[in-house]
Amino acid sequence: MVFKSFYYKIIPNYKKLDKMDFDIEENVFYDEVMNKLHTIEEALYLAKDGTRDKEVINEIFRAFHTVKGVSDLLGFVDIVKLTHKAEDLLDEIRNDTIKFSPEVYSILMNLKEFVSKLVTDALRGRDMNSEKKEIFDSFIRDINNHLSKSVLILEKQLQNSEVLEKLAKEHKFDLITQSDINTDAQLHPNNIKLVFWDIEDLKDADIQRLDNLRENSRYTKVYIILCVEKVDENLKSLGKRTGAAAWIKKPYEKEKLHTLVEKLIG
């Protein structure tokens, strides 16, 4: 086998693996994933000391994307989630939002090794044990810590909020206001996690815009906070229509505003 030495390196007890135990579809999955993990390893070595060659980063991205795709076909949810996170990180590097640093190299190389172990477990029908779950969660946290975060403020009273400015500085996220964007396309480079939306200015076209925003994989987990002057029956239905995570009442109390943002993205 072409990459036999590679398999010995990344998969414990490789000699004990018998591909005849796998279904045909799983054999194809196994070979494809191992091939792509090898591609990732080689490309990461090329980028180890930093790279401005976008094609190297694109190659790593495409390889993770393939691993995610074939894992999705076989229902290997954990592998899909982890490789999707890797895509998020690489997407920001491709967009020059963050740099390919030694820390990023280490995260992706270790993640690649961990994915190979998850592949073996998945093909053997093994559930993730507590030790691997802890490692899985640590990868998610590490990647999230490197991803940029933005808060989109579509509410005039909050656009110069001292509380939000302080939180932004503490947690290293950007504040974006309506004046910063003219088109939906300008939102693309921003990893928006939270949107403050004035309920009085919320129209059907805006709700459609929210739906369009969530169709982009970068914004699938965006939190919507509705800003209201009074609480009434319409708030609940509007919350459902917009998929809002919370509402906050005007005038804003500093402590409540601080707690809300901390809870959602802090």
Side-chain angles (χ1 to χ4, degrees), residues 140-203:
I140 300 298
R141 285 194 301 269
D142 287 345
I143 292 176
N144 282 338
N145 287 336
H146 280 78
L147 293 176
S148 64
K149 293 179 290 187
S150 297
V151 172
L152 179 60
I153 306 172
L154 302 174
E155 206 288 298
K156 293 178 181 178
Q157 292 182 32
L158 288 177
Q159 292 188 2
N160 295 307
S161 167
E162 293 181 3
V163 175
L164 290 181
E165 289 177 358
K166 183 179 179 181
L167 283 169
K169 187 175 181 180
E170 288 178 359
H171 296 289
K172 298 180 180 178
F173 60 75
D174 298 320
L175 298 176
I176 305 172
T177 66
Q178 184 69 52
S179 60
D180 297 322
I181 56 171
N182 293 315
T183 65
D184 288 350
Q186 288 177 287
L187 291 173
H188 179 71
N190 302 293
N191 193 21
I192 295 172
K193 293 298 182 185
L194 188 65
V195 179
F196 281 96
W197 212 307
D198 188 342
I199 196 170
E200 293 184 1
D201 293 334
L202 195 61
K203 302 177 179 64

Side-chain angles (χ1 to χ4, degrees), residues 10-14 16-18 21-22 26 29-30 33-34 37 71 74-79 82 112-136:
I10 67 173
I11 300 181
N13 302 320
Y14 168 74
K16 295 181 181 180
L17 288 177
D18 183 0
D21 292 340
F22 302 158
E26 291 172 338
F29 165 80
Y30 183 79
V33 168
M34 292 305 162
L37 291 177
S71 298
L74 290 179
F76 297 151
V77 178
D78 294 327
I79 299 174
L82 206 53
K112 182 267 309 179
E113 300 269 346
F114 184 59
V115 166
S116 71
K117 296 174 184 178
L118 292 184
V119 168
T120 306
D121 287 346
L123 292 176
R124 289 300 185 201
R126 300 173 189 150
D127 292 330
M128 191 184 298
N129 59 31
S130 58
E131 182 181 356
K132 284 191 172 71
K133 180 64 167 63
E134 188 175 338
I135 296 171
F136 179 94

Side-chain angles (χ1 to χ4, degrees), residues 2 9 14 17 45 54-55 73 79 86 132 136-137 140 150 155 158 167 174 192 212-213 229 235 243 251 256 261:
V2 176
K9 178 180 178 184
Y14 168 74
L17 288 177
Y45 276 130
K54 289 293 181 68
E55 186 51 39
L73 288 174
I79 299 174
K132 284 191 172 71
F136 179 94
D137 291 341
I140 300 298
S150 297
E155 206 288 298
L158 288 177
L167 283 169
D174 298 320
I192 295 172
N212 295 339
L213 196 67
E229 290 187 351
L235 182 59
K256 287 186 177 180
V261 176

Side-chain angles (χ1 to χ4, degrees), residues 15 20 23 37 61 83 90 102 125 159 172 180 260 263:
K15 291 181 180 179
M20 295 301 292
D23 293 334
L37 291 177
F61 181 93
T83 49
L90 289 160
Q159 292 188 2
K172 298 180 180 178
D180 297 322
L260 184 58
K263 181 180 178 181

Side-chain angles (χ1 to χ4, degrees), residues 41-67:
E41 182 179 44
E42 289 189 330
L44 283 173
Y45 276 130
L46 290 176
K48 184 175 182 179
D49 298 322
T51 179
R52 293 187 177 182
D53 188 347
K54 289 293 181 68
E55 186 51 39
V56 173
I57 302 302
N58 287 337
E59 186 173 19
I60 300 170
F61 181 93
R62 287 192 296 267
F64 271 118
H65 183 73
T66 299
V67 174

Side-chain angles (χ1 to χ4, degrees), residues 201-254:
D201 293 334
L202 195 61
K203 302 177 179 64
D204 286 342
D206 296 322
I207 296 174
Q208 182 60 51
R209 190 181 189 188
L210 288 174
D211 292 337
N212 295 339
L213 196 67
R214 288 196 179 96
E215 287 179 2
N216 187 318
S217 63
R218 295 170 66 87
Y219 307 121
T220 52
K221 294 183 179 180
V222 64
Y223 296 107
I224 308 297
I225 297 178
L226 297 179
C227 305
V228 303
E229 290 187 351
K230 63 179 180 178
V231 179
D232 54 30
E233 292 298 323
N234 293 328
L235 182 59
K236 187 174 182 180
S237 61
L238 189 57
K240 287 183 178 180
R241 287 184 66 198
T242 58
W247 57 267
I248 188 168
K249 192 175 179 181
K250 307 176 189 179
Y252 306 108
E253 296 180 26
K254 290 184 178 180

